[in-house]
Amino acid sequence: MRTVVLTMKASVIEMFLAVPQINCDVKAGKIINPEFIVKCPAGCQDPKFHVYGTDVYASYSSVCGAAIHSGVLDNSGGKILVRKVAGLSGYKGSYSNGVQSLSLPRWRESFIVLESKPKKGVTYPSALTYSSSKSPAAQAGDTTKAYQRPPIPATTAQSVTLMQLLAVTVAVATPTILPRPSPSAASTTSIPRPEPVGQRSQEMGEMDSWKPGSVLLDEGRVPKEELSTQSLEPVPLGDPNCKIDLSFLIDGSTSIGKRRFRIQKQLLAGVAQALDIGPAGPLMGVVQYGDNPATHFNLKTHMNSRDLKTAIEKITQRGGLSNVGRAISFVTKNFFSKANGNRSSAPNVVVVMVDGWPTDKVEEASRLARESGINIFFITIEGAAENEKQYVVEPNFANKAVCRTNGFYSFHVQSWFGLHKTLQPLVKRVCDTDRLACSKTCLNSADIGFVIDGSSSVGTGNFRTVLQFVTNLTKEFEISDTDTRIGAVQYTYEQRLEFGFDQYSSKPDILSAIKRVGYWSGGTSTGAAINFALEQLFKKSKPNKRKLMILITDGRSYDDVRIPAMAAHLKGVITYAIGVAWAAQEELEVIATHPARDHSFFVDEFDNLYQYVPRIIRNICTEFNSQPRN
């Protein structure tokens, strides 16, 4: 009897805690719940499921399509957490993870997509509430219901019902006590509030007069039920004009003392307030260093300025030495990761605060950080007096750490009592994203994928010549796991990954790997090879790296190259096409990035390939240097 009842108990729990399933075409605006976890099916990458915006999406978007665009899901589906936020005055489209999102002038409600990790103390609905009795996800199962105005918050009512059912089962089966729902669970997730009638009419009038133009032509008229969903409490989205991922590296050494440590925290709180923290704007984390560094909170821990300031106030001093170089190395290797909230679309910025001088060297650690795409700012306070300079480990350390010595990346403050004066200029500089790219050069900032034709028409001897050409190009770059990285694909009818970007991290190892590539022989399917390279090489490229594809072929492709080439261009892969002997000139121009004259080359004989190495390197660097710099 006990076994039967326990089985029944498990079934009841599973039934009521099931995650609702939705279809690919379900839009966030159709769902009343302000925060919920759902399961998306496979196949939602289809362009017919429209998405509007980047990172923050208009509620007229497909929920599952937005999840794929944001990188939380892939096309195989899965569980996601959706949080409603305030509408924006505009949404910018972009291509990401195989989904092309569209732009939208404005919309009354937005949402963000997160990994399906429930918050502690929050009860998520096991059945979604829809704004129309005709649920668009009805086919997904019985886990949806039409909207009815609840007399009490839906999450609380659901929790009570579930606990009552469980209590009956538990009473029969076992004296085990289940945890009661947190009193704050219902209040943690805000519920929709009715709008004043006047405000309602005004908003409807605005929507009726707005003409979306070409953006929504294929959608037809916006459904009225889409517009009639209730408004939400405003949620801070952050300043979109200052979208950066920022780490403050604060001095917790013993020598700083409690009073100066408190002044340091006051600057951090001021920066947090001035930056307007939020998912569509800047995000900020804090690392404290002494003998060893430690992360207090990462980029995704606090998503608004208020919570961030509260967390800063609770930071306590660790003590120890002032090992700044060790701390910078720690941040380079550990802080800016996807797991810690790093966004590929936002520049990485580190602000290092130093009382006096470091007790270790910072130049090499800073160089590696800069070459990883991290922009370093230094704030030094009360430097060494004349009789103390003999103790400084690395003279002029701040100028050695930053990428430009023009004063843009460094501040020196004579007294801790004047530290507050750096607040406004610091905020202005870290938000000047047009000037946050000085740490990279054309030779140390790319992931380069060679796509090599190994078809029968090439032949063994010519194939070795092609490999020598690849070697000659590779020698021109600075190779390491933080500099330029090299990968290679060989193709015939089929494709083979010879080595990926993360397989070799030194120039000698890369050159040896190129020499070991064996000739394959077969047909020529260049289009399939480009798709393979995008999936197997460039999908694993670092977000802060320029993506370069160098394709070498000696003949016309058996398959279509137009769509794969367009996919490469949309994903930001700069493609150079080198044709030899029987290669089709028009095909090379289709494959190459625009303008084709700078990215496509035709060589009459394999033995003349070496002559094009200087020109290709020059074009790569000219294109890089033409980008906005400070």
Side-chain angles (χ1 to χ4, degrees), residues 508-519:
D509 288 343
I510 285 288
L511 298 180
S512 296
I514 294 170
K515 191 178 295 185
R516 291 194 300 269
V517 172
Y519 177 48

Side-chain angles (χ1 to χ4, degrees), residues 361-416:
K361 293 187 176 183
V362 303
E363 183 176 11
E364 181 64 14
S366 298
R367 182 186 69 82
L368 292 174
R370 296 195 311 269
E371 292 175 359
S372 297
I374 298 172
N375 298 274
I376 298 181
F377 288 78
F378 258 71
I379 302 177
T380 56
I381 309 102
E382 297 182 1
E386 196 63 38
N387 63 341
E388 295 174 320
K389 289 183 178 179
Q390 58 181 316
Y391 304 113
V392 176
V393 176
E394 191 175 28
N396 202 24
F397 64 89
N399 279 343
K400 293 177 180 178
V402 297
C403 59
R404 297 285 173 88
T405 57
N406 59 5
F408 182 82
Y409 291 92
S410 56
F411 299 82
H412 179 67
V413 184
Q414 296 293 339
S415 166
W416 276 94

Side-chain angles (χ1 to χ4, degrees), residues 555-569:
R556 184 180 293 275
S557 178
Y558 294 168
D559 61 356
D560 180 62
V561 299
R562 294 179 182 275
I563 293 176
M566 184 179 297
H569 302 161

Side-chain angles (χ1 to χ4, degrees), residues 414-472:
Q414 296 293 339
S415 166
W416 276 94
F417 297 108
L419 182 61
H420 66 280
K421 295 178 181 178
T422 65
L423 174 58
Q424 291 303 324
L426 175 63
V427 169
K428 183 178 180 180
R429 293 184 196 182
V430 298
C431 289
D432 190 354
T433 54
D434 289 338
R435 301 182 70 180
L436 295 182
C438 67
S439 59
K440 304 173 186 177
T441 73
C442 61
L443 301 179
N444 70 6
S445 59
D447 279 343
I448 302 177
F450 288 98
V451 180
I452 306 168
D453 184 347
S455 60
S456 303
S457 58
V458 174
T460 304
N462 288 334
F463 187 78
R464 305 320 301 178
T465 303
V466 170
L467 293 184
Q468 186 59 52
F469 171 72
V470 172
T471 297
N472 292 343

Side-chain angles (χ1 to χ4, degrees), residues 548-598:
L548 304 180
M549 180 191 299
I550 300 178
L551 184 143
I552 307 123
T553 182
D554 82 325
R556 184 180 293 275
S557 178
Y558 294 168
D559 61 356
D560 180 62
V561 299
R562 294 179 182 275
I563 293 176
M566 184 179 297
H569 302 161
L570 289 172
K571 291 182 178 181
V573 178
I574 300 169
T575 307
Y576 288 80
I578 294 96
V580 189
W582 302 279
Q585 185 72 41
E586 72 274 14
E587 211 168 64
L588 298 177
E589 293 175 357
V590 168
I591 295 169
T593 295
H594 181 79
R597 65 177 182 275
D598 295 330

